[in-house]
Amino acid sequence: MDTHVRIVVALVFGVVTFAVTTVVVTAGFEPEIEFSLLIGLPVGVSGGLTALFASYVLLWHRDQAAAGTVSGRAARLRLAALAAVADLFVVTAAGIALYTLADGSMGIGLLVAGLPVTLPLAAVVGYLAAGRRRREQGGLRTQ
């Protein structure tokens, strides 16, 4: 797949994810919070950027795997993208659980401020862990 096509597909996927996430989170909090869009927008932006990053990296990795030459950088970025996606789901679930079961303000704080902080950290940790595993095992296995 051409680089420009990967960029367009990743942008479309990121925008659709942003829109769907923003609407779902805003609608979910609407009965209880008057300005629920203030929660939906940051979560939507975090989801959209994560989808943009992950979709581009995973398409790039898929193209390299199809060609038979997966670089170490592509394998590390793939693991970083997967870590960011996992973090998005875990932190969002934890924020919603905190909001509904415990303290509402802590849950909202985790959703609004926690996601933008933890997503890059998860990606960096995934990238670095993949590099360390590569040295220990003598190479990354991508299949």
Side-chain angles (χ1 to χ4, degrees), residues 8-22 44 47-49 51-52 55:
V8 169
V9 169
L11 280 172
V12 168
F13 191 63
V15 168
V16 168
T17 303
F18 162 74
V20 169
T21 305
T22 301
L49 290 175
L52 174 76
S55 60

Side-chain angles (χ1 to χ4, degrees), residues 69 72 89:
T69 58
F89 286 114

